[in-house]
Amino acid sequence: KTQRTGEGRGVRGTCDDSCESQCDSDEHPMSSAQPKSPGSGLAVTINFIAAALSKKLQGDEVDYMFVVKQLEAADHRNRWIQGMTGCVDAITEKHAQLVTCLLQIDWHANADVTVSYKELLTALVSAHPGFAPDVLAMLIEQMLPPQLGACPAEDGSETLQVYINQRYDAVHNILSEVLRIVPSAIERTFALIVATFPHKLRPVDVQVDYLKNLLRIIVYAPHIQDQALRLIIDRLVEIDVEIKLEEHAEDAEEEDVFAMEDDVDAELENSRVNEMANKLDQMLKLIYQFFATAAAENSAGLTPTFQALLQAFEESVLPVHKSKATQFVVFYAACLHPSFPGMFLERVLLMVADKAGAPLIRQTCSAYVGSFLARFQPLAEEQLRDSFGFLIREAQTWLSELRPEELYPDPVKHAVFYTLCQSILYSACFRRDELMNIGADLCTELNGILSSPLNPMRFCLDTVVKEFAKVAPMLGIVWDESVLDRLASEQMEHGNCSYQLDMFFPFDPYLMDESRGFIDSIYEVWKYGEDEDDMQENDDSPRGTGSESISVSGSFGDMGVEYGRLARSNSNPNGNIRPRSVSGMGHTPNSRSFTQLGHSLSASPGFEPAKIGPYKKRRKNHSPDKFGNATFGGRSSGGMNALDEDGMEL
């Protein structure tokens, strides 16, 4: 109780203005002490809080509830936070309501409050580790963007972004200190990260901000790196598979391509697909930036990270046949150290050769090897030849282990074998120059494989077989006219029949605009157009020998122009993609290539324009955005070459 004088103010107690009404009613609890000097106000607050905590244990909650209300009030909050820090040792489990109040207050109001709050939380978890899970839960929750109305700046303004960035900085500042003080809390932290990870349908800014913050945690909490990478890849795949490819009828090319110009309903139907593609694009860019920065700082020390990424790839990506772009995380990371391509190839090749493994996984791994050999530009020639030879020997092993009565074509029984052959032919078409003259032994084995009773050429994609017929002489394989006539006859009789295996090429051209700058410089595009083949048909070179006997149906140049139009239609002005129907396992579009500057646009083996549905003209020109200020560093963005109305490069 405050003793009153004739002047009206207490002589024994003191209070701040926020409590004036309680003082006037003669009920202010802070009147029990008076500061002795201007600097003793904090000491008074500490003593009062300590007494309130003690009374709470004895059943007197009046002062205790007063402290709770003062923490909830915005006025003079910093002094009460500092007071709590001074008597944190007196807090027990019976003061859970007070701790809950502490974890719910807005501590981002100003810099002084933020500093004091960090001191309080670190002191709290140091003195009482049992409160660490609650503290961690609050911090992880604040790695999501604040809700509208919960921050002082207007939505979309530059001030808002500054506020959000400062908020995230403060959260990481406290979290890193808490994990340093309580190392055992790391497992609980990761459990909370998993539980808080945004659902795939949450907006793109939520996904990007949370991923950005998770990557920051990995930097100062490397113990969760392996688990975090597996989590990230798994969530990327969840978004990736939502980008579904549209299926069209066989006669889709007969539809009027201009009839869809103003098809609003179709645009609405594609809105979710575009939204998911944009999420994936933005998140992949963050991942690439993270790896690029880590490699720039210490590429040699990145090996454990790459190994963890390979494990995540094996667990989350390999079993999924509809992933459009997530697999490119491994593709990009492989370029960051000379040993990484070999590590990736060794891992998937071992799974190809694993006879105890599921046939579908062996097929998938074989497809990944073939696509990687074809598309990964920095691959050393020695690694290319070794892996190419491994595929040939594995196919030969399959044949050698068959009983005579099993030597007959069967796309189900011999699916692994046919996928191996498809990968061999596909990679040879792309890397014909590096694989020239592979050696007599491999040539003999490959020739035996292709001419075996299983007839693999019949089950591979037509365009791949036709192109390989021109490449075979360069490898040292010489076919007589009877073999070439048989291939041509089978292609005419059985082309695109239902018994052809559904095969796919995982590293088909990258269709994400924002993040493609990281991929373009290490990506091998299709560079053997029709013009080059025509020039060599009449010369004495080995390639000219085979190309006279089997001609590619349709013009490669015309196919390239048609795909140029399609590629242009697959990007809207917002940087999203509109995937189209293709043959294959619903994975990625059959091989097709954007050009690099100086190359004419041409279709690559596996690309079948007739199976791709009608496109929409883009309503306005679109130039891929540049990266801007990258959070983790990284290269500037490249972009797709501009195309004119006919699909040709400008």
Side-chain angles (χ1 to χ4, degrees):
K1 302 284 184 181
T2 303
Q3 296 181 355
R4 299 283 184 174
T5 65
E7 300 297 327
R9 274 296 179 191
V11 295
R12 291 177 49 213
T14 183
C15 66
D16 53 53
D17 295 337
S18 66
C19 305
E20 184 176 356
S21 61
Q22 295 192 41
C23 291
D24 292 340
S25 63
D26 216 33
E27 295 291 338
H28 195 299
M30 280 288 289
S31 60
S32 59
Q34 178 166 340
K36 305 301 181 183
S37 66
S40 62
L42 179 59
V44 170
T45 304
I46 293 174
N47 291 335
F48 178 79
I49 294 174
L53 296 175
S54 177
K55 291 178 181 179
K56 164 67 175 174
L57 299 178
Q58 299 171 9
D60 183 357
E61 297 187 355
V62 175
D63 291 356
Y64 176 78
M65 293 307 300
F66 177 79
V67 175
V68 171
K69 291 179 180 179
Q70 292 304 303
L71 289 170
E72 291 174 345
D75 297 335
H76 306 285
R77 178 176 290 164
N78 191 39
R79 194 183 80 176
W80 288 94
I81 292 175
Q82 292 175 333
M84 287 293 305
T85 306
C87 55
V88 71
D89 291 338
I91 297 176
T92 68
E93 294 181 357
K94 293 186 177 181
H95 302 123
Q97 183 181 5
L98 180 61
V99 175
T100 300
C101 176
L102 282 172
L103 299 179
Q104 292 177 346
I105 65 175
D106 179 14
W107 50 279
H108 301 284
N110 59 66
D112 291 338
V113 171
T114 300
V115 172
S116 300
Y117 196 72
K118 175 188 176 182
E119 295 174 353
L120 171 58
L121 292 189
T122 53
L124 179 65
V125 298
S126 179
H128 307 286
F131 287 117
D134 295 327
V135 173
L136 292 170
M138 180 273 297
L139 294 173
I140 299 299
E141 186 69 28
Q142 296 206 19
M143 292 185 179
L144 295 168
Q147 296 181 353
L148 294 178
C151 46
E154 294 182 2
D155 183 36
S157 68
E158 183 177 350
T159 305
L160 172 61
Q161 192 57 52
V162 171
Y163 168 80
I164 292 175
N165 291 338
Q166 291 175 345
R167 177 189 176 101
Y168 291 149
D169 290 342
V171 170
H172 287 288
N173 194 8
I174 297 177
L175 179 59
S176 60
E177 188 66 15
V178 169
L179 294 178
R180 185 189 67 81
I181 295 172
V182 189
S184 59
I186 192 68
E187 293 184 6
R188 177 61 179 171
T189 301
F190 184 73
L192 290 166
I193 289 173
V194 174
T196 312
F197 208 108
H199 187 270
K200 61 186 177 182
L201 297 181
R202 296 288 299 276
V204 62
D205 63 316
V206 175
Q207 303 284 352
V208 169
D209 279 17
Y210 194 81
L211 176 58
K212 189 184 303 182
N213 286 316
L214 176 51
L215 293 173
R216 289 183 67 174
I217 294 175
I218 293 177
V219 174
Y220 58 78
H223 293 89
I224 68 168
Q225 176 180 265
D226 294 5
Q227 295 171 290
L229 285 176
R230 287 197 291 271
L231 172 65
I232 291 170
I233 296 299
D234 188 64
R235 297 308 171 91
L236 288 177
V237 169
E238 286 186 6
I239 296 175
D240 198 323
V241 297
E242 290 292 321
I243 308 173
K244 300 185 183 301
L245 300 177
E246 299 174 12
E247 297 297 332
H248 296 279
E250 289 296 328
D251 58 350
E253 67 274 12
E254 298 178 4
E255 298 180 26
D256 184 0
V257 296
F258 300 103
M260 301 177 68
E261 177 72 20
D262 296 313
D263 191 347
V264 178
D265 292 338
E267 289 289 349
L268 292 176
E269 291 174 3
N270 286 327
S271 61
R272 176 173 170 180
V273 172
N274 291 334
E275 180 185 0
M276 301 303 279
N278 188 36
K279 290 178 190 176
L280 184 62
D281 194 5
Q282 298 288 346
M283 294 172 76
L284 285 171
K285 185 172 78 169
L286 285 176
I287 299 293
Y288 298 150
Q289 290 172 343
F290 173 78
F291 278 105
T293 301
E297 294 175 352
N298 182 15
S299 61
L302 199 60
T303 299
T305 304
F306 187 70
Q307 291 173 335
L309 180 61
L310 290 180
Q311 184 64 32
F313 167 81
E314 181 177 341
E315 294 176 0
S316 299
V317 180
L318 272 183
V320 176
H321 294 290
K322 294 184 179 181
S323 176
K324 317 300 182 306
T326 305
Q327 62 270 23
F328 277 90
V329 176
V330 173
F331 188 90
Y332 173 72
C335 79
L336 299 178
H337 192 273
S339 66
F340 291 173
M343 291 170 60
F344 170 71
L345 287 170
E346 180 181 4
R347 194 178 191 104
V348 288
L349 284 171
L350 286 175
M351 286 188 281
V352 169
D354 183 11
K355 295 180 175 58
L360 185 57
I361 293 297
R362 295 181 68 187
Q363 284 183 263
T364 303
C365 289
S366 177
Y368 267 98
V369 173
S371 193
F372 190 81
L373 296 183
R375 296 296 194 175
F376 188 71
Q377 194 178 77
L379 187 64
E381 185 172 322
E382 181 181 359
Q383 291 177 327
L384 171 63
R385 287 176 170 267
D386 288 347
S387 300
F388 187 75
F390 188 97
L391 292 177
I392 293 176
R393 286 187 288 271
E394 194 60 31
Q396 181 62 45
T397 299
W398 182 279
L399 285 175
S400 65
E401 294 178 350
L402 294 176
R403 298 187 300 273
E405 61 270 20
E406 295 176 316
L407 289 171
Y408 60 89
D410 188 332
V412 177
K413 182 179 181 64
H414 306 304
V416 174
F417 171 77
Y418 292 131
T419 309
L420 284 166
C421 294
Q422 170 91 338
S423 297
I424 292 169
L425 303 188
Y426 182 72
S427 55
C429 290
F430 272 86
R431 294 303 185 98
R432 60 188 70 178
D433 295 334
E434 295 91 333
L435 293 173
M436 188 180 299
N437 300 320
I438 57 177
D441 293 340
L442 282 180
C443 278
T444 301
E445 289 187 20
L446 181 55
N447 198 21
I449 291 167
L450 299 179
S451 59
S452 70
L454 270 58
N455 197 5
M457 303 282 274
R458 177 183 175 185
F459 294 92
C460 295
L461 291 177
D462 296 340
T463 48
V464 175
V465 172
K466 293 170 184 175
E467 187 68 22
F468 182 77
K470 296 183 292 183
V471 175
M474 299 182 64
L475 304 181
I477 299 175
V478 180
W479 287 331
D480 57 31
E481 291 298 325
S482 63
V483 174
L484 297 174
D485 290 342
R486 177 175 62 82
L487 289 176
S489 176
E490 287 185 352
Q491 294 302 320
M492 292 179 62
E493 181 180 356
H494 303 296
N496 291 323
C497 284
S498 59
Y499 58 61
Q500 285 192 328
L501 292 181
D502 284 335
M503 297 186 183
F504 64 98
F505 308 102
F507 297 116
D508 265 3
Y510 194 75
L511 298 178
M512 300 290 167
D513 284 344
E514 282 289 322
S515 55
R516 67 175 299 124
F518 287 92
I519 302 299
D520 283 348
S521 62
I522 59 172
Y523 194 78
E524 183 73 24
V525 299
W526 177 247
K527 56 191 176 185
Y528 303 101
E530 182 190 23
D531 294 341
E532 180 181 351
D533 294 331
D534 287 342
M535 288 189 297
Q536 298 198 24
E537 281 183 357
N538 297 321
D539 64 17
D540 297 329
S541 66
R543 189 194 300 175
T545 304
S547 57
E548 294 178 358
S549 300
I550 294 185
S551 62
V552 178
S553 62
S555 165
F556 268 72
D558 290 343
M559 293 166 67
V561 170
E562 179 65 25
Y563 182 65
R565 292 170 178 156
L566 176 69
R568 183 178 59 183
S569 70
N570 277 351
S571 294
N572 68 17
N574 295 323
N576 302 327
I577 68 168
R578 183 176 296 113
R580 291 294 174 191
S581 150
V582 294
S583 64
M585 300 174 67
H587 190 86
T588 56
N590 279 340
S591 280
R592 53 188 193 263
S593 175
F594 296 106
T595 63
Q596 289 182 336
L597 204 57
H599 294 291
S600 61
L601 202 72
S602 61
S604 60
F607 170 55
E608 301 177 69
K611 292 191 176 183
I612 298 180
Y615 65 95
K616 291 185 181 180
K617 282 193 173 183
R618 292 168 57 192
R619 287 176 168 77
K620 59 182 179 179
N621 294 330
H622 168 60
S623 298
D625 295 331
K626 299 297 182 181
F627 281 129
N629 296 324
T631 304
F632 298 101
R635 300 199 299 256
S636 60
S637 171
M640 193 168 62
N641 293 333
L643 303 173
D644 64 15
E645 289 301 318
D646 292 326
M648 300 303 292
E649 289 181 0
L650 295 177

